Amino acid sequence: MAAFPLNTKSNFHARSNSLPSRPHPIILQCNEHLDRLIRSSHETSSSSSLLSHKLGGLQDLHECVEKLVQLPLTQEALLHEPQESWVDELLDGSLRLLDVCTAAKDSLLHTKECMRELQSIMRRKRGEEMGITVEANKFLTSRKVVRKAIFKALGNLKATTSKKGNFSSNIKDQQTLVLVSLLKDVEVVTLSIFESLLNFISGSTQPKPRSWSLVSKLIHTKRTGCTPVTNENEFSQLDAALQSSVLHMACKSDNSCNLQNHLEKLESCIQDFEEGLEFLFRRLIKIRVALLNILNH
């Protein structure tokens, strides 16, 4: 592939106009994916389909980033000047992404396992009100454990990101600044979508006050045309249905059918999320390994 300058046009960081006007094609692709993800952040409705769409966008973005970090031109840019605080920040950022992705994967796995136990009990004990109610209570208890783990992960994320400084001010070489800023933009958007996903898995019907706060700290964009928040959360819908079932000790056929419908919808939702996260997790590992190989050269 022909060598192109590492010039880029980012939505988040100011770029120098003195750079060559022919950006590398992969840089252009990365920016296009970033633009689409930022535009999708204007949509405030909470639905699994929207989050699956965003995860698909992240997959495309990180596929591009994986190609970007393998370019000889990228390696030269990262090694152009003495390694200072921005090096640690890049590596810390890649680790943050892996940690949050793992937290999301674990929360889905735990919910899926408990959900399958509930489905098994419902099949074996049709019409046995007490048995199903006991298992429903177990599922609701397990959901509390999941929520606690999610809120802990989000708290840790907030604590680590609040300590970051303006690392880019230490970078003198313009092409290195362009590349490092792009990688940080990717981290910011990815963390924000992971944050939204974790809140969704917890059963939150509305975004947390700090949702997209990571973006707002580093990216100055206007939000316009936001749509009203609607509750299309399969996790919270099943939680509510089970709580109602336990409260009324109801296990009639119509209620059982309703629960089965919620379980099937959630199962499909979890499968979509797991597939997207597994793809991203593999890409994040490859990108981190590539960065370590470059920076520890």
Side-chain angles (χ1 to χ4, degrees), residues 91-131:
L91 294 177
D92 289 346
S94 70
L95 192 57
R96 272 192 294 270
L97 292 176
L98 283 169
D99 287 345
V100 181
C101 187
T102 298
K105 287 176 61 182
D106 289 347
S107 63
L108 288 173
L109 178 61
H110 189 83
T111 300
K112 182 174 69 174
E113 289 175 346
C114 295
M115 184 181 67
R116 286 180 173 173
E117 289 179 12
L118 177 58
Q119 288 175 311
S120 176
I121 291 293
M122 289 181 68
R123 284 193 294 267
R124 293 202 313 266
K125 299 187 176 182
R126 292 184 181 277
E128 293 187 24
E129 180 179 297
M130 186 57 66

Side-chain angles (χ1 to χ4, degrees), residues 20 54 60 71 105 115 166 174 177 183 226 228 283 288:
K54 289 181 178 180
D60 294 337
L71 292 176
K105 287 176 61 182
M115 184 181 67
N166 184 17
Q174 190 61 40
L177 176 61
L183 292 174
C226 292
R283 284 289 179 274
R288 178 170 173 78

Side-chain angles (χ1 to χ4, degrees), residues 8-15 31 34-35 178 181-182 185:
T8 181
K9 179 183 177 183
S10 171
N11 290 285
F12 318 132
H13 296 280
R15 309 297 190 196
N31 277 305
L34 279 169
D35 287 345
V178 162
S181 296
L182 175 59
D185 293 341

Side-chain angles (χ1 to χ4, degrees), residues 99-272:
D99 287 345
V100 181
C101 187
T102 298
K105 287 176 61 182
D106 289 347
S107 63
L108 288 173
L109 178 61
H110 189 83
T111 300
K112 182 174 69 174
E113 289 175 346
C114 295
M115 184 181 67
R116 286 180 173 173
E117 289 179 12
L118 177 58
Q119 288 175 311
S120 176
I121 291 293
M122 289 181 68
R123 284 193 294 267
R124 293 202 313 266
K125 299 187 176 182
R126 292 184 181 277
E128 293 187 24
E129 180 179 297
M130 186 57 66
I132 297 179
T133 300
V134 169
E135 199 60 34
N137 271 318
K138 288 182 181 178
F139 179 86
L140 291 172
T141 300
S142 74
R143 289 286 293 146
K144 291 179 181 178
V145 174
V146 168
R147 279 192 287 271
K148 184 177 180 181
I150 286 175
F151 296 148
K152 181 179 179 181
L154 290 173
N156 291 339
L157 175 60
K158 183 180 180 182
T160 56
T161 54
S162 64
K163 296 177 182 178
K164 294 190 296 183
N166 184 17
F167 69 93
S168 61
S169 62
N170 298 325
I171 302 176
K172 308 304 180 185
D173 178 68
Q174 190 61 40
Q175 290 199 6
T176 303
L177 176 61
V178 162
L179 181 63
V180 172
S181 296
L182 175 59
L183 292 174
K184 291 307 299 177
D185 293 341
V186 170
E187 181 199 344
V188 167
V189 171
T190 305
L191 285 176
S192 298
I193 292 176
F194 281 168
E195 182 185 14
S196 296
L197 177 62
L198 284 170
N199 279 319
F200 189 87
I201 296 171
S202 75
S204 300
T205 56
Q206 295 186 25
K208 292 290 181 181
R210 67 172 178 269
S211 288
W212 287 93
S213 60
L214 296 174
V215 173
S216 65
K217 287 178 182 178
L218 297 179
I219 306 169
H220 302 292
T221 58
K222 293 182 179 179
R223 288 190 172 190
T224 57
C226 292
T227 57
V229 174
T230 57
N231 180 19
E232 300 176 23
N233 188 323
E234 289 84 350
F235 292 88
S236 63
Q237 288 173 354
L238 178 58
D239 290 345
L242 287 172
Q243 288 167 353
S244 175
S245 177
V246 169
L247 181 63
H248 299 98
M249 295 290 285
C251 213
K252 298 179 181 178
S253 59
D254 56 343
N255 184 66
S256 178
C257 241
N258 182 46
L259 287 178
Q260 286 286 7
N261 287 336
H262 284 304
L263 284 166
E264 289 172 5
K265 287 180 181 179
L266 182 57
E267 187 173 29
S268 175
C269 171
I270 288 176
Q271 182 177 343
D272 287 344

Side-chain angles (χ1 to χ4, degrees), residues 54-74:
K54 289 181 178 180
L55 286 177
L58 282 182
Q59 291 174 27
D60 294 337
L61 174 60
H62 284 276
E63 238 180 337
C64 256
V65 172
E66 184 184 357
K67 295 175 183 176
L68 177 64
V69 297
Q70 292 172 352
L71 292 176
L73 200 60
T74 299

